[in-house]
Amino acid sequence: MSMLIRKRQLAAKIEAVEGSAETLLAADAGILVNFSPKASYDPQMYQRDPVRASLTKMGKLAGKRSAGIDFSIELKGSGSVTVEPEWMRLVRACGFQSNTLKKISIGAITSGPYRHGEVITGDTSGAVGRVVIKTANGAASLYYVALTGVFETGDHITGADSGAVSTASSDPASAGFEIKPISSSVVSLTMGLYEDGVAKLLKGCRGTVKFNFKIGEPATLDFSFKGVEHGVTDTPMFTGVSFDDTVPPVLLNAVMSCDGVSLNVGEMEIDVSNTLASKDKIDDAKGILSYMITGRDMQGSFNPEMVPVASHDFFSKWFSNTPMVLDLAYGESDGNKFRFYVPGIVYNKVDDGDRDGIQLAQTSFDLTGSMEPGDDELALLLL
């Protein structure tokens, strides 16, 4: 029987116990994957080569059984600001956490702006939160993640670091989700690629992800996971899978700025660049418990049209290691809007580019964060 390469399903489930495989069901296979996902196996192969009268080598022995799975998905929301999209568990296993995002209407901000990541407190309610996105006077709302208590109308909300103060003119409302990096307690996944009758299974999976943006197209997420081989079996594809039918927004009518200057960018990418290391386990039948994220080096690039130095001095900012805020927002419908907020990028290369005769500044950059508490190189908001 011939197998069709386009007939594939991806299933993934968060493991209750790291490295202990979960049973995958149709409910775990609702992620729409771009053509074509690929599972691969890379066991450690030991070459037996004892000396004797013949030069003939003996067969290799399979040792530790690592595996990988690579695929791409479109970036889209669930259609509701209170429901996480299906792909959230994939991003969590790439070293991120998801937090419920709140917003509250505010009046004028004095002694501001509020700083991204700082703690805020309400004088009446005693509520405590963490600011998401630098917020200056004139903003109608303050985005935050609740830490304790509930802010209320009339609260004087004070920033612990900036000293910024404003008065809440409404009670909090659900605004969506914040996705931010973490350095510990990263979830692991059991994953399966179902290939028209054959299932390739992995456990103890963690990965890395790259975000791709191209004007006029939906943004995409390229995932690369590493895990432990958990079997290849003749298994039928799932039936009754419920796919999220939200249509992804395309990158049009976007608000894009770098260092407060609007740049005309055609393409951009942000690569999380996690380092993945096997967690070897001598008493495991596969020799590996799981894969761990042991480091990350967030990098990005974009290709804005070149502008005069007076508008944006690419080279001076590069040579002087100037940290800058990068901010991209797009999408029209609640539950399907996105904002990528990077509190500090530093250029590491600026070169000539060409698009049909238009000069571009082909630019690479590092994503940086605070010394303390860290884990703040990037905030992805699902709004």
Side-chain angles (χ1 to χ4, degrees), residues 317-346:
K317 294 179 185 299
W318 173 19
F319 300 151
S320 61
N321 310 305
T322 302
M324 297 164 286
V325 173
L326 178 66
D327 198 355
L328 169 65
Y330 72 103
E332 305 294 336
S333 303
D334 289 348
N336 202 25
K337 298 187 294 188
F338 300 93
R339 186 169 180 178
F340 282 77
Y341 183 82
V342 184
I345 68 167
V346 177

Side-chain angles (χ1 to χ4, degrees), residues 171-229:
D171 289 338
S174 295
F177 299 94
E178 174 210 41
I179 298 176
K180 70 181 292 292
I182 54 175
S183 295
S184 60
S185 302
V186 178
V187 302
S188 61
L189 298 176
T190 296
M191 306 183 75
L193 187 61
Y194 294 78
E195 302 176 348
D196 197 13
V198 171
K200 297 177 179 177
L201 303 178
L202 295 76
K203 65 176 184 174
C205 299
R206 293 186 175 93
T208 190
V209 60
K210 180 169 68 173
F211 301 91
N212 305 290
F213 306 88
K214 187 174 182 179
I215 189 169
E217 298 181 5
T220 60
L221 286 72
D222 294 344
F223 289 98
S224 182
F225 281 91
K226 295 286 286 184
V228 184
E229 176 267 319

Side-chain angles (χ1 to χ4, degrees), residues 270-347:
I270 293 176
D271 192 347
V272 174
S273 297
N274 285 331
T275 300
L276 301 173
S278 63
K279 189 173 182 178
D280 294 353
K281 197 169 189 293
I282 198 169
D283 61 351
D284 188 279
K286 308 298 174 67
I288 304 172
L289 174 67
S290 65
Y291 268 78
M292 303 290 294
I293 297 173
T294 59
R296 64 173 178 261
D297 183 18
M298 287 198 191
Q299 303 280 325
S301 65
F302 58 14
N303 64 345
E305 293 183 8
M306 191 63 181
V307 296
V309 169
S311 297
H312 186 77
D313 191 344
F314 285 94
F315 292 94
S316 175
K317 294 179 185 299
W318 173 19
F319 300 151
S320 61
N321 310 305
T322 302
M324 297 164 286
V325 173
L326 178 66
D327 198 355
L328 169 65
Y330 72 103
E332 305 294 336
S333 303
D334 289 348
N336 202 25
K337 298 187 294 188
F338 300 93
R339 186 169 180 178
F340 282 77
Y341 183 82
V342 184
I345 68 167
V346 177
Y347 292 156

